[in-house]
Amino acid sequence: MTEIVRGAEWVLVKERGPGVPEGIYGAECMSCEARSPLFDDDELPVAVWSLQHTAEFPEHTLFLARTERHWRVVPRPHDPAPAQRPDTGGVLGPAFVGLMCLLTALSGLLPALTN
């Protein structure tokens, strides 16, 4: 469930499931009332329709492309209390200090610092 907007009691989500297209594509000529058929999950037929329409009417070159998606509003799930993350010491944690010691030793600076 992909959340789009979360409200106090409701959540707007993308509708998923069998038979639900990811997108529905269509186009409308801005010079006349012509509209392409709608196609599920494939915008190529809409592009072909637009090209064919312009071939028939050369002055019709501007189209409004549309993409439609299904959304659903569902009750907001009640989240349990967020889990506490263990304190790792932040940026200067043990892994960072160990890495810096290793890099210092590899760079040859450690012997110079101990003399």
Side-chain angles (χ1 to χ4, degrees):
M1 184 165 61
T2 304
E3 290 184 8
I4 298 171
V5 176
R6 181 185 284 206
E9 297 296 324
W10 299 95
V11 179
L12 180 65
V13 298
K14 288 183 180 180
E15 179 66 17
R16 303 279 190 209
V20 178
E22 182 64 28
I24 304 167
Y25 300 97
E28 178 180 343
C29 178
M30 299 299 290
S31 299
C32 68
E33 299 292 318
R35 291 183 179 209
S36 74
L38 299 176
F39 295 91
D40 290 353
D41 295 324
D42 190 4
E43 55 189 311
L44 181 60
V46 178
V48 170
W49 177 88
S50 300
L51 292 168
Q52 290 173 341
H53 185 76
T54 300
E56 188 175 344
F57 305 98
E59 66 279 3
H60 296 196
T61 58
L62 184 62
F63 298 88
L64 176 62
R66 298 183 188 274
T67 303
E68 299 176 7
R69 291 185 170 83
H70 292 94
W71 290 353
R72 180 179 297 274
V73 175
V74 297
R76 179 179 179 183
H78 295 288
D79 298 328
Q84 294 292 328
R85 295 178 61 191
D87 184 13
T88 59
V91 173
L92 298 177
F96 178 79
V97 173
L99 178 62
M100 292 309 296
C101 288
L102 180 62
L103 291 173
T104 302
L106 290 174
S107 69
L109 295 175
L110 192 59
L113 293 175
T114 58
N115 287 334

